Amino acid sequence: MENLQAVKQRFGIIGNDIQLDRAIEKAIRVAPTDISVLVTGESGVGKENIPKIIHQLSHRKHAKYIAVNCGAIPEGTIDSELFGHEKGAFTGATQARKGYFEVADGGTIFLDEVGELPLTTQVRLLRVLENGEFIKVGSSQVQKTNVRIVAATNVKMQEAINKGKFREDLYYRLSTIEISLPPLRERGNDIHLLFRKFASDFAQKNRIPVIRLDENASKMLLNYRFPGNIRQLKNIAEQVSIMEENRVISPEILSQYLPNNTTNNLPALVGNSSSSSDFSSERDIMYKILFDMRNDINDLKKLTLDLMQNSDVEEVQEENRGLIQRIYDDQDFSNNVEVVQIPKSSSDNNYDFIETIEEDENLSLQEKEVEMIKKSLEKNKGKRKLAAKELGISERTLYRKIKQYDL
Ligand SMILES: Nc1ncnc2c1ncn2[C@@H]1O[C@H](COP(=O)(O)OP(=O)(O)OP(=O)(O)O)[C@@H](O)[C@H]1O
Ligand SMILES: [Mg+2]
């Protein structure tokens, strides 16, 4: 059997928590079989690693691995995405299309957020699980496929079943083996290992000095609840790395990055240090930028889905003229403009490009900041005081940024 440490290394999994180890060991053990696996755990605990391990350590590793986010596909098109459709099955279906279950024949499908599947799709899925049979939308011909299913959920499935939103028979089929991942707050020292790893990766990538928590800040991190788990810890490590000039982080500074930090038993921070009072307005700007970018990414996802499903590309382009213009206007996204030209018939994993956009986020963030500062300075004819006011940061911070970015 594969060695636990080797698997962790190969998949970039950090931590030695015993519950985490058990989960990975379970994945290693079931990998060579065809048994369905249900991965459970809160949002951001690393559920997506498990199906990757299972696929890579199985005899299916040379066939396709397709990850489907069931919550992100509109209800009206999910059957066609998963099982394909015949020409003329619905308005706009000018060509037959293979679904993921056909494309991934011999491989593995990861159904993320499986609790979000509509009931009608659940019926189709149950049939595939029971005898490997499915029918394309608009067809009457039964097809066969041999796909291993790993599903994941961060919702309580029992509740969904009780409410009639999820079929009990399907739940039992999917969860022959359940692998549950522990929340980050239960992983003890792994929290520090992960923080150091994220901080040093980020520093290296952006060529900035790495941040370090002082002793009390370390303790504070250990006691935080982390509702967003590892994803949140990573964000925190990166935010602190960008925003803080002083590379040794005190609990006073750290606590500002931990929303609803109820376990904080240090005296409340009074706004007497100028660096920390700058901080909240800077953070507001960063949040606004992040928020705008997230909206753009969501719009892009939707646009691309439309393009993949709608035969009339021009119509979709017309409807999304504003967004497309913004993409062209925006240098940050110019490398990803091919998104708009993804062939409709592409049957590969359609989510790849979305990851590309996310990888570029860090860089774009800085560029956005520079751009905002430049625009504001131009608009205010170089008057720093006015520009700082408009940007919602102090003059001192603006001065620092001008120097930092050599504006
Ligand atoms: N043990 C770990 N070591 C290093 N990175 C990790 C670890 N676990 C998770 N991550 C990283 O944390 C982030 C969140 O993980 P992932 O997307 O798998 O969460 P999830 O459980 O699928 O969450 P959701 O339910 O919200 O989809 C990813 O960037 C992942 O690479
Ligand atoms: Mg996930």
Side-chain angles (χ1 to χ4, degrees):
M1 200 170 78
E2 292 279 336
N3 172 288
L4 176 66
Q5 294 307 327
V7 169
K8 281 193 208 165
Q9 177 131 26
R10 176 167 165 202
F11 291 88
I13 298 172
I14 309 283
N16 300 305
D17 173 69
I18 183 150
Q19 294 182 77
L20 173 72
D21 283 359
R22 280 210 196 106
I24 300 170
E25 272 167 353
K26 225 166 160 180
I28 297 172
R29 195 158 307 128
V30 294
T33 71
D34 282 337
I35 299 172
S36 307
V37 175
L38 182 67
V39 188
T40 57
E42 291 177 15
S43 180
V45 288
K47 292 187 291 296
E48 288 175 46
N49 287 323
I50 300 293
K52 287 181 191 157
I53 295 174
I54 292 177
H55 177 72
Q56 287 302 330
L57 302 187
S58 75
H59 62 90
R60 298 173 177 269
K61 68 179 173 201
H62 297 298
K64 276 220 178 314
Y65 169 80
I66 297 183
V68 186
N69 186 339
C70 304
I73 303 177
E75 189 166 333
T77 53
I78 191 151
D79 284 353
S80 145
E81 291 280 325
L82 292 175
F83 305 103
H85 63 248
E86 288 298 351
K87 185 174 170 176
F90 45 85
T91 334
T94 51
Q95 281 171 336
R97 179 186 185 281
K98 284 185 186 173
Y100 299 138
F101 275 89
E102 188 169 349
V103 176
D105 194 6
T108 308
I109 290 188
F110 171 43
L111 296 175
D112 202 359
E113 293 186 42
V114 72
E116 300 290 317
L117 280 181
L119 282 162
T120 49
T121 313
Q122 292 178 30
V123 178
R124 287 175 182 265
L125 180 58
L126 187 62
R127 184 164 180 189
V128 184
L129 279 161
E130 279 178 340
N131 50 25
E133 287 178 358
F134 70 97
I135 301 177
K136 275 189 177 149
V137 176
S139 167
S140 53
Q141 202 189 332
V142 177
Q143 287 179 255
K144 278 273 191 186
T145 186
N146 171 8
V147 170
R148 195 315 165 53
I149 305 215
V150 181
T153 178
N154 57 29
V155 298
K156 301 244 178 312
M157 291 301 270
Q158 201 53 53
E159 267 170 39
I161 293 168
N162 293 344
K163 285 189 195 149
K165 286 188 178 152
F166 204 85
R167 291 182 65 110
E168 193 166 17
D169 47 4
L170 177 60
Y171 170 73
Y172 287 119
R173 271 280 170 186
L174 287 172
S175 62
T176 316
I177 296 284
E178 186 170 327
I179 296 183
S180 88
L181 286 166
L184 181 59
R185 62 184 161 279
E186 290 173 13
R187 297 195 200 179
N189 195 46
D190 282 7
I191 296 171
H192 290 142
L193 291 179
L194 283 157
F195 185 87
R196 282 205 290 273
K197 170 82 173 126
F198 294 141
S200 77
D201 283 357
F202 189 80
Q204 212 166 30
K205 196 168 151 197
N206 294 286
R207 291 180 292 275
I208 52 174
V210 66
I211 49 160
R212 181 170 70 75
L213 300 181
D214 75 14
E215 204 182 317
N216 286 329
S218 285
K219 280 187 196 145
M220 179 183 276
L221 198 69
L222 209 59
N223 290 321
Y224 183 59
R225 234 186 71 78
F226 289 108
N229 291 291
I230 297 161
R231 186 179 292 117
Q232 185 187 10
L233 178 67
K234 191 172 177 185
N235 284 345
I236 292 169
E238 297 186 349
Q239 283 177 12
V240 178
S241 299
I242 303 177
M243 306 301 290
E244 295 305 325
E245 219 169 347
N246 188 345
R247 305 316 274 173
V248 180
I249 306 302
S250 65
E252 289 79 6
I253 295 293
L254 180 66
S255 72
Q256 302 186 51
Y257 294 87
L258 310 179
N260 307 318
N261 185 14
T262 47
T263 56
N264 176 7
N265 46 17
L266 285 143
L269 179 74
V270 194
N272 56 357
S273 108
S274 59
S275 83
S276 57
S277 57
D278 285 347
F279 165 79
S280 63
S281 51
E282 275 181 320
R283 189 166 65 172
D284 287 346
I285 294 181
M286 299 299 272
Y287 276 159
K288 184 172 176 329
I289 293 171
L290 278 170
F291 188 71
D292 288 345
M293 284 178 62
R294 198 184 64 182
N295 283 346
D296 273 350
I297 288 172
N298 282 342
D299 286 349
L300 275 167
K301 286 185 192 168
K302 193 183 155 296
L303 165 63
T304 311
L305 270 176
D306 279 349
L307 280 169
M308 288 185 298
Q309 277 143 19
N310 197 319
S311 61
D312 193 348
V313 174
E314 264 166 33
E315 191 185 293
V316 176
Q317 283 184 346
E318 188 56 48
E319 271 173 28
N320 292 281
R321 184 165 294 285
L323 172 66
I324 294 170
Q325 193 57 49
R326 245 184 301 145
I327 298 169
Y328 277 105
D329 285 345
D330 193 335
Q331 285 304 310
D332 299 341
F333 282 106
S334 57
N335 291 334
N336 295 307
V337 166
E338 325 69 279
V339 164
V340 180
Q341 284 133 23
I342 282 193
K344 296 185 299 290
S345 56
S346 158
S347 49
D348 281 339
N349 185 348
N350 294 318
Y351 294 90
D352 284 350
F353 70 89
I354 291 170
E355 286 178 13
T356 321
I357 295 177
E358 283 169 359
E359 272 172 23
D360 286 343
E361 249 177 36
N362 293 331
L363 235 186
S364 313
L365 202 61
Q366 214 178 52
E367 285 171 10
K368 283 247 179 201
E369 191 180 50
V370 173
E371 194 187 316
M372 275 178 83
I373 294 173
K374 269 193 191 156
K375 276 198 182 136
S376 178
L377 281 168
E378 256 167 45
K379 197 171 141 204
N380 293 294
K381 308 203 170 56
K383 294 213 176 70
R384 286 194 194 137
K385 197 166 179 176
L386 296 177
K389 200 162 172 223
E390 188 185 42
L391 291 165
I393 55 179
S394 73
E395 248 187 290
R396 201 174 62 79
T397 306
L398 180 60
Y399 182 71
R400 184 158 57 76
K401 301 248 174 232
I402 290 173
K403 253 174 75 176
Q404 181 186 348
Y405 296 131
D406 204 10
L407 296 177

